[in-house]
């Protein structure tokens, strides 16, 4: 699972910089911490200065990489995509992962997309490149309406997941829960969160990631009740300062392992070196599976 933080390895725009640009160009007082859960909804109600469609177009424009950045990004992602995983999840909207997996042309997205009818939610839609699936769980450029910005969109995504699980809820006290969930979540990215080993790279995991926290909590509840076997989820923290103790405690309680790779803030290539260390850690973990 890839987040926006990995962009710091090749000087592409950080999420904070993107938010600052959107704020300046739209007159919305967007906040880095709350953009995805509340700021857009509140500001749209208060001012009605910008439509959701216009904002989505702005986000799409500001998150697109230049050809030079895309090439550097693609080469760096290969450190991860060459590890041999068959599926990749990302909260990013662009196609850096697909480009690192082989020849990919986003102008021909329909040739790669597994579900063209899912244009607003992003539960089942994936792009397949050389046999590898890439799920954009918070939306993607070529399906502009799928890009998650406001609280309503995040809740809508959670409701889509919840509806898929409804048929399993009635079997919570029966051993068939695992097979029922597998069936209900077939062809969705959520199935991998519950049944595959997942490594989180490039995430801050603040409160704006409400769909992920909801899923962490639901998974942990089922594991603690013995209704679900524990898969391995590893959060690879990579910052100059140690991981917040409270965040680490919450994640551990939710059966998420925290692995810390401290970034050397004085080194211009500090983040790049940290992520290369993480790629090596993931390789060792995959070799043991």
């Amino acid at each position: 699972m890839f987040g926006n933080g990995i962009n710091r390895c090749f000087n592409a725009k950080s999420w904070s910089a993107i938010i600052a640009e959107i704020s300046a160009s739209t007159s919305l007082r967007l906040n880095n911490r709350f953009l995805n859960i509340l700021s857009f909804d509140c500001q749209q109600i208060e001012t009605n200065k910008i439509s959701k469609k216009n904002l989505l177009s702005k986000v799409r424009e500001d998150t697109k990489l230049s050809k030079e950045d895309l090439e550097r990004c693609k080469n760096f992602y290969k450190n991860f995509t060459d590890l041999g995983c068959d599926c990749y999840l990302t909260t990013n909207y662009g196609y850096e992962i697909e480009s690192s997996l082989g020849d990919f042309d986003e102008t021909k997205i329909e040739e790669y997309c597994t579900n063209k009818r899912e244009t607003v939610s992003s539960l089942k839609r994936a792009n397949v490149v050389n046999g590898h699936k890439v799920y954009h769980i918070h939306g993607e450029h070529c399906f502009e309406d799928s890009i998650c910005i406001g609280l309503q969109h995040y809740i809508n995504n959670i409701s889509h997941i919840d509806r898929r699980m409804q048929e399993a809820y009635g079997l919570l006290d029966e051993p068939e829960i695992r097979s029922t969930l597998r069936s209900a979540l077939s062809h969705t990215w959520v199935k991998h969160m519950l049944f595959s080993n997942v490594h989180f790279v490039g995430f801050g995991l603040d409160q704006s990631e409400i769909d992920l926290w909801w899923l962490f909590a639901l998974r942990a509840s089922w594991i603690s009740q013995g209704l679900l076997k524990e898969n391995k989820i590893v959060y690879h923290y990579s910052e100059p300062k140690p991981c917040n103790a409270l965040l680490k405690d919450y994640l551990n309680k939710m059966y998420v392992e925290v692995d810390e790779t401290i970034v050397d803030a004085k080194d211009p290539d500090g983040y790049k070196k940290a992520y290369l260390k993480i790629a090596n850690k993931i390789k060792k973990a995959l070799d043991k599976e």
Side-chain angles (χ1 to χ4, degrees), residues 31-42:
N31 178 282
N32 182 39
R33 190 170 186 178
F34 294 103
L35 172 69
N36 289 341
I37 59 172
L38 203 54
S39 290
F40 169 68
D41 302 81
C42 288

Side-chain angles (χ1 to χ4, degrees), residues 6-275:
I6 202 167
N7 283 3
R8 290 174 294 191
C9 296
F10 37 87
N11 297 321
K13 290 179 184 176
S14 67
W15 188 235
S16 298
I18 291 168
I19 290 172
E21 289 187 10
I22 294 172
S23 296
S25 64
T26 62
S27 300
L28 294 180
R29 299 188 302 275
L30 300 179
N31 178 282
N32 182 39
R33 190 170 186 178
F34 294 103
L35 172 69
N36 289 341
I37 59 172
L38 203 54
S39 290
F40 169 68
D41 302 81
C42 288
Q43 292 297 317
Q44 187 182 38
I45 292 168
E46 179 186 349
T47 67
N48 201 29
K49 288 182 178 179
I50 184 170
S51 69
K52 182 177 180 180
K53 189 71 175 176
N54 289 342
L55 182 58
L56 290 177
S57 297
K58 179 63 178 173
V59 172
R60 182 176 185 271
E61 175 188 335
D62 284 352
T63 53
K64 270 187 169 292
L65 295 177
S66 66
K67 288 184 178 180
E68 294 77 12
D69 280 341
L70 179 59
E71 188 64 25
R72 286 188 293 141
C73 184
K74 177 179 74 174
N75 291 335
F76 191 79
Y77 266 103
K78 281 182 175 292
N79 291 292
F80 293 93
T81 56
D82 283 349
L83 295 179
C85 299
D86 58 357
C87 181
Y88 300 92
L89 314 180
T90 182
T91 55
N92 297 336
Y93 312 132
Y95 299 106
E96 301 84 15
I97 300 172
E98 286 89 338
S99 297
S100 74
L101 290 167
D103 292 333
F104 178 81
D105 182 356
E106 68 176 271
T107 64
K108 300 178 180 178
I109 191 68
E110 293 191 353
E111 296 180 9
Y112 309 94
C113 182
T114 61
N115 193 321
K116 307 176 188 65
R117 292 179 296 178
E118 190 182 49
T119 58
V120 178
S121 64
S122 302
L123 183 59
K124 296 181 289 183
R125 190 184 63 252
N127 298 319
V128 181
V129 182
N130 287 336
H132 302 274
K133 279 188 176 181
V134 182
Y135 289 90
H136 292 263
I137 72 171
H138 288 169
E140 58 184 292
H141 285 157
C142 288
F143 294 88
E144 192 172 278
D145 289 339
S146 70
I147 293 176
C148 280
I149 288 296
L151 176 63
Q152 295 178 58
H153 202 154
Y154 274 77
I155 296 300
N156 181 59
N157 283 353
I158 290 174
S159 70
H160 272 78
I161 299 170
D162 190 54
R163 281 199 297 272
R164 299 283 292 193
M165 292 180 173
Q166 284 297 329
E167 61 187 88
Y169 284 173
L171 300 172
L172 286 178
D173 58 345
E174 300 182 18
E176 288 82 4
I177 180 66
R178 286 187 287 275
S179 61
T180 304
L181 274 175
R182 280 186 182 273
S183 176
L185 298 172
S186 178
H187 307 300
T188 72
W189 64 267
V190 179
K191 183 181 78 170
H192 297 283
M193 289 287 291
L194 298 177
F195 297 105
S196 303
N197 292 337
V198 182
H199 294 265
F200 277 73
V201 180
F203 281 85
L205 283 185
D206 65 18
Q207 60 185 333
S208 69
E209 309 279 7
I210 58 172
D211 51 348
L212 294 177
W213 281 108
W214 174 79
L215 196 54
F216 284 159
L218 183 62
R219 167 182 169 269
S221 174
W222 285 346
I223 290 173
S224 65
Q225 296 176 65
L227 300 172
L228 196 66
K229 290 183 179 179
E230 183 180 350
N231 60 322
K232 188 172 185 177
I233 294 183
V234 183
Y235 170 50
H236 293 279
Y237 175 88
S238 51
E239 293 291 346
K241 296 181 179 180
C243 184
N244 179 279
L246 187 59
L247 173 61
K248 187 186 295 188
D249 183 54
Y250 282 155
L251 288 170
N252 287 336
K253 284 184 169 68
M254 293 187 183
Y255 301 95
V256 176
E257 178 184 335
V258 178
D259 174 77
E260 295 188 59
T261 302
I262 302 301
V263 176
D264 183 354
K266 296 180 180 179
D267 186 346
D269 293 324
Y271 279 102
K272 183 179 293 185
K273 291 176 181 177
Y275 281 114

